[in-house]
Amino acid sequence: VKYKVNDIIQDIIPDKEEPYVVDNVECSNNAQGIWNEETEKVDLLEEVTQTVCIVEFKEGHTVNILTSNGEIVSPVSKVVGRIGEATFTIEEKEGYTLEDAAIVCDNGGEGSLEGNTIVIRNIKQNNTCTVITNPIEITVTYNVNGGNALSPTNKTVIYTGTYGSLPTPIRTGYTFSGWYTAATGGSKVIESTEVTSTVNHTIYAHW
């Protein structure tokens, strides 16, 4: 058996980590051979007295990494050989967490996240995989600003989501005019207001 890589015939098979995959097997004396991925050898479909098989290699499979909300550390694309596995590094983007992130690949393959390392396995063809990160949870505390105490005193919201249902506090002799981002002044916060802060924060009742 000989191996053809970049039009050069050689006696040594390329390492599995090199960016090449088997493209074709040609054998002399009309023999027919197929490449066995498990044994890394040529299996002949029928017995022959003598034959020489040439295993032709081509460029491996390209894997691209995308992210819904995260920062991929260069490179964002790799050519993968017979090892069928590629790793990439991702960093968290402000407001998002890698915890319970999902990896979706277009053309098969299996993705997992191990800390900040993306691992794509079982690569059999060109593929694009997307890392879907999750927005963080944020605690919003109610400051009644002179009103009667509330229970509970806070709620959990999701970054880029909305504040959702908010309580209506009571203060004797005053009319509640809404929740705001500051004790005096600030921006009004209603149910449909988008959560744009990436840290725990307080909203204040105005009267």
Side-chain angles (χ1 to χ4, degrees):
V1 176
K2 294 184 179 296
Y3 308 95
K4 186 176 182 180
V5 183
N6 294 329
D7 294 325
I8 298 175
I9 296 178
Q10 58 190 48
D11 294 324
I12 301 175
I13 185 172
D15 190 88
K16 293 182 72 171
E17 293 187 0
E18 291 186 58
Y20 303 105
V21 294
V22 174
D23 183 37
N24 187 39
V25 177
E26 290 189 359
C27 300
S28 63
N29 296 333
N30 296 318
Q32 290 184 315
I34 59 173
W35 181 255
N36 188 317
E37 292 184 357
E38 292 185 4
T39 62
E40 292 268 290
K41 295 181 179 179
V42 174
D43 291 339
L44 295 177
L45 299 183
E46 57 185 30
E47 291 187 11
V48 293
T49 303
Q50 185 176 3
T51 185
V52 175
C53 294
I54 297 178
V55 182
E56 299 179 1
F57 284 81
K58 66 178 181 179
E59 186 178 67
H61 308 303
T62 300
V63 179
N64 300 303
I65 292 291
L66 304 176
T67 176
S68 60
N69 286 288
E71 301 294 339
I72 303 295
V73 178
S74 181
V76 297
S77 179
K78 289 185 178 180
V79 178
V80 181
R82 301 188 326 281
I83 194 170
E85 180 175 312
T87 59
F88 301 84
T89 302
I90 184 173
E91 294 181 351
E92 285 185 337
K93 183 179 180 180
E94 185 179 14
Y96 295 86
T97 176
L98 297 177
E99 186 175 352
D100 297 324
I103 300 177
V104 179
C105 296
D106 293 343
N107 293 318
E110 302 165 359
S112 63
L113 193 60
E114 302 171 7
N116 285 63
T117 301
I118 303 164
V119 183
I120 309 297
R121 299 182 175 89
N122 197 27
I123 300 167
K124 302 292 185 182
Q125 55 191 320
N126 294 342
N127 213 337
T128 296
C129 299
T130 302
V131 183
I132 304 172
T133 59
N134 300 305
I136 61 175
E137 294 185 345
I138 296 166
T139 299
V140 177
T141 300
Y142 307 123
N143 185 320
V144 293
N145 208 13
N148 294 341
L150 292 172
S151 181
T153 59
N154 57 54
K155 72 174 298 185
T156 300
V157 296
I158 304 296
Y159 176 64
T160 72
T162 61
Y163 281 84
S165 178
L166 297 170
T168 301
I170 297 173
R171 183 180 182 184
T172 303
Y174 291 83
T175 299
F176 176 63
S177 61
W179 292 102
Y180 287 78
T181 57
T184 301
S187 301
K188 191 170 187 177
V189 176
I190 60 176
E191 292 184 5
S192 60
T193 300
E194 181 181 352
V195 180
T196 57
S197 175
T198 58
V199 297
N200 297 336
H201 56 277
T202 299
I203 56 176
Y204 300 83
H206 279 201
W207 308 97

